[in-house]
Amino acid sequence: MLVRAMLAQNVGTGCAFGGLGISVLAMQERYHASLGTATMGLSLTVLSMTALGPMMAGLISRYGLRSVMTSGVAMSLLGYLALAFAPTMALALAACALLIGPGSALFAALPPAVLASGWYPHDRGKVMGIAYLPLLVTFLPLLGVDIIQRHGLTAFYLSIVAIHLLLLPLMLGVADPPEELLDEQETVASPTGSAKVVILGSMLFWVIVVGDGILNGTAIAGSAHMLPVIKEYGVSLETGAMLLSSSGVASIIGSLVAGYACDRVGSATTLALSAMGFALAWTLIAITGWLPVLTVASFLIGFCGASVFPPISALVVRIFGIDALPKVLGLLGVMTLPFTFIMSAAAGWLHDLWGNYEPAFATLIATCLLAAAAFFGISRHLARMGAAEPDVCGGYLSPADPG
């Protein structure tokens, strides 16, 4: 079941972020659209994917993992099939918003975590790390750019359809965790309505919303705009694909290092350092198109992008407690939608308006610095409250861990 969880997560998020990210220029050319409109595909996918998040627990409880994940693969498959033959940009964007995003949410967002952690309750932190290793996003840019250049955009999307078809039988073999394993796990109570009000009334929650939204929006902007930026610097698309693959490798490293950083410096400080890393990456990209510098910047974007979710979860546990984790993460997903949806598209619109990326670079750098200031502020606040942030990023994954 762990292998199925890992493959599901990789196909869903890898095809969305890797596939839609590298096809921005090809979509722009096919539909004669502006860059801002072309990048909307990924933004709408993330929007619908996140919007469905709060309903996932109820769907899994009612229909079971097999039905939910299989339906998600089928829906996403139909989305990429529609994308391959969409005659207009409007229909292409509709496929992203109505099929690919919701489908990916059903089989690649929360379900892999439920599947992996449910079958291996005593090694939850370890199996979650394996299930969410971003492997496909490392290789897809290289393969995808080659397919697009040799055979066209339709062939590329059909290859993604083929990947989904290969995954479908594996999802039909998904089994919910046995009752005896579920009985061994402690039940984490969901906060009541009054607890929800307390969360929304917390100033720290809204600071986290701003910081988390900026970091996730910046990561999405990096996926959508890396190839267009590289093209403007005169770098070949093949080289650009290699840079995106290096970003994928960096994300694997970042997801591993994030836990260590939480142990050493605390979750809020880890998030602040990730924001500083994003700001440095975009500064390097803005300064020069020299390939070694672009390589470092691409690595930083991948590394920092993967260093957000574990510290955010640990910070939520640190501030609101383990019982509130599901509710707070659900609220964060909804409240950060404006950032995850707008930032990538806004970078494209700024480029269309000014004719270059300089305003977009300045905006991304400024917002990342704002996020860094927000998380450094939270870290200092927690220190003043009398605790040195004893965060363990992997610890929140195991209810049996009293730490």
Side-chain angles (χ1 to χ4, degrees), residues 24 28 33-41 43 89 93 225 342 344-353 357:
V24 166
Q28 183 184 14
S34 67
L35 184 61
T37 303
T39 57
M40 284 283 288
S43 297
M89 190 70 189
L93 294 179
H225 289 277
I342 291 175
S344 177
W349 293 330
L350 286 172
H351 175 276
D352 295 334
L353 182 63
Y357 267 108

Side-chain angles (χ1 to χ4, degrees), residues 65 72 79 109 133 139 174 179 183 203-204 236 257 284 304 315 359:
L65 282 169
L133 280 175
F139 304 105
V174 164
E179 291 296 330
D183 292 340
M203 180 60 69
L204 282 179
S236 69
V257 173
L284 293 174
C304 296
L315 183 60

Side-chain angles (χ1 to χ4, degrees), residues 149-361:
Q149 291 190 328
R150 290 175 179 268
H151 306 288
L153 190 58
T154 297
F156 173 62
Y157 287 138
L158 289 178
S159 67
I160 293 180
V161 170
I163 293 174
H164 281 69
L165 284 173
L166 292 174
L167 180 67
L168 198 55
L170 293 175
M171 295 302 96
L172 291 171
V174 164
D176 287 280
E179 291 296 330
E180 56 267 24
L181 289 181
L182 294 176
D183 292 340
E184 294 177 11
Q185 304 178 51
E186 297 180 17
T187 301
V188 179
S190 297
T192 62
S194 60
K196 182 177 179 180
V197 173
V198 170
I199 293 168
L200 293 176
S202 168
M203 180 60 69
L204 282 179
F205 172 77
W206 292 105
V207 176
I208 293 173
V209 166
V210 173
D212 185 37
I214 289 173
L215 295 184
N216 286 318
T218 303
I220 294 168
S223 298
H225 289 277
M226 184 58 70
L227 280 186
V229 168
I230 289 169
K231 183 182 178 182
E232 289 205 355
Y233 275 127
V235 179
S236 69
L237 291 182
E238 293 86 352
T239 303
M242 291 184 65
L243 292 180
L244 287 175
S245 293
S246 72
S247 183
V249 173
S251 67
I252 297 174
I253 300 172
S255 64
L256 299 175
V257 173
Y260 175 79
C262 280
D263 295 341
R264 298 291 295 178
V265 300
S267 55
T269 302
T270 300
L271 289 163
L273 293 174
S274 294
M276 295 292 291
F278 272 129
L280 176 59
W282 287 111
T283 300
L284 293 174
I285 293 173
I287 291 174
T288 178
W290 190 36
L291 186 57
V293 175
L294 291 177
T295 302
V296 172
S298 179
F299 187 92
L300 279 173
I301 289 175
F303 183 92
C304 296
S307 303
V308 176
F309 182 73
I312 279 288
S313 300
L315 183 60
V316 166
V317 172
R318 170 72 181 85
I319 295 174
F320 299 102
I322 184 66
D323 288 353
L325 179 63
K327 180 65 68 177
V328 177
L329 290 182
L331 289 172
L332 279 176
V334 174
M335 298 302 176
T336 57
L337 279 177
F339 296 94
T340 55
F341 175 65
I342 291 175
M343 286 186 68
S344 177
W349 293 330
L350 286 172
H351 175 276
D352 295 334
L353 182 63
W354 290 85
N356 58 61
Y357 267 108
E358 291 181 4
F361 290 152

Side-chain angles (χ1 to χ4, degrees), residues 63-203:
Y63 299 106
L65 282 169
R66 178 188 300 166
S67 297
V68 169
M69 297 181 76
T70 301
S71 299
V73 173
M75 185 180 295
S76 182
L77 183 155
L78 291 174
Y80 286 107
L81 187 62
L83 203 57
F85 298 104
T88 66
M89 190 70 189
L91 290 176
L93 294 179
C96 293
L98 302 179
L99 291 172
I100 297 175
S104 299
L106 289 173
F107 78 95
L110 178 63
V114 177
L115 180 63
S117 62
W119 274 93
Y120 304 96
H122 301 298
D123 295 302
R124 193 171 298 174
K126 184 188 300 183
V127 299
M128 285 285 284
I130 295 172
Y132 282 85
L133 280 175
L135 300 177
L136 186 59
V137 74
T138 303
F139 304 105
L140 192 59
L142 286 172
L143 298 174
V145 167
D146 184 64
I147 293 174
I148 291 173
Q149 291 190 328
R150 290 175 179 268
H151 306 288
L153 190 58
T154 297
F156 173 62
Y157 287 138
L158 289 178
S159 67
I160 293 180
V161 170
I163 293 174
H164 281 69
L165 284 173
L166 292 174
L167 180 67
L168 198 55
L170 293 175
M171 295 302 96
L172 291 171
V174 164
D176 287 280
E179 291 296 330
E180 56 267 24
L181 289 181
L182 294 176
D183 292 340
E184 294 177 11
Q185 304 178 51
E186 297 180 17
T187 301
V188 179
S190 297
T192 62
S194 60
K196 182 177 179 180
V197 173
V198 170
I199 293 168
L200 293 176
S202 168
M203 180 60 69

